[in-house]
Amino acid sequence: QVQLVESGGGLVQAGGSLRLSCAASGLTFDMYAMGWFRQALGKEREFVAAISRGHGEHYADFVKGRFSIARDNAKNTVYLQMNSLKPEDTAVYHCAADRTTTLGRISGSPYDYEYWGQGTQVTVSS
C-alpha cells in the first residue's frame, strides 16, 4: 500500500521559514517524480514545486527564489524548504508522486500524479 506522509507544517510569522517533509512508503521511490501542491481555504489546488527522478526542479512563479525542493532517495523522502513566508502562503500542502520512466519528467499538473498525501497545514501570520 502506497503512503505519502507529510510533516513539518505549523504556524509561523511572515518572513519566517518552514521545512516540509514527505515520507513515502510502498513504492519504488526513485521511479517517481515528486511534487508539492497546496490548497488554501475556498481555493483550487495549485502547483508549488516538483522534482524529477534526475533531480531537476520546477517551481511556480510565486515561489521562485523563496522555496526549494529536494529529494533523498535513500530515505524515500522529498522536502520543501520554504523561506520568506507570506500570509498568502497559508494553505494545506500536499506531496504527490508521479511514476515515470523518464528521468527528466517534471509536471505541474495534478492530473499527472497518481498518489497523494493527506497534507500538512501551513499558517503564516502577518
Side-chain angles (χ1 to χ4, degrees), residues 38 62-63 66-67 84-91 93 122 124:
R38 70 186 187 185
F62 56 78
V63 302
R66 299 191 299 125
F67 291 11
S84 302
L85 283 161
K86 305 175 182 180
E88 51 263 44
D89 294 319
T90 295
Y93 284 70
V122 172
V124 184

Side-chain angles (χ1 to χ4, degrees), residues 41-112:
L41 196 61
K43 295 189 176 181
E44 296 283 320
R45 184 169 295 188
E46 63 182 355
F47 170 72
V48 176
I51 187 165
S52 70
R53 291 177 56 205
H55 295 255
E57 301 168 23
H58 175 47
Y59 297 93
D61 286 344
F62 56 78
V63 302
K64 283 181 180 177
R66 299 191 299 125
F67 291 11
S68 176
I69 190 170
R71 65 188 295 160
D72 184 338
N73 289 347
K75 296 183 178 179
N76 287 4
T77 301
V78 61
Y79 304 97
L80 185 68
Q81 178 66 44
M82 306 188 295
N83 300 325
S84 302
L85 283 161
K86 305 175 182 180
E88 51 263 44
D89 294 319
T90 295
V92 176
Y93 284 70
H94 300 266
C95 69
D98 169 23
R99 192 180 192 285
T100 176
T101 59
T102 305
L103 281 176
R105 173 184 165 94
I106 307 178
S107 175
S109 170
Y111 300 104
D112 289 329

Side-chain angles (χ1 to χ4, degrees), residues 107-122:
S107 175
S109 170
Y111 300 104
D112 289 329
Y113 290 83
E114 292 88 355
Y115 300 108
W116 292 81
Q118 290 298 306
T120 185
Q121 175 71 47
V122 172

Side-chain angles (χ1 to χ4, degrees), residues 25-38:
S25 61
L27 51 72
T28 305
F29 187 71
D30 62 4
M31 289 299 296
Y32 287 78
M34 300 298 295
W36 285 97
F37 293 78
R38 70 186 187 185

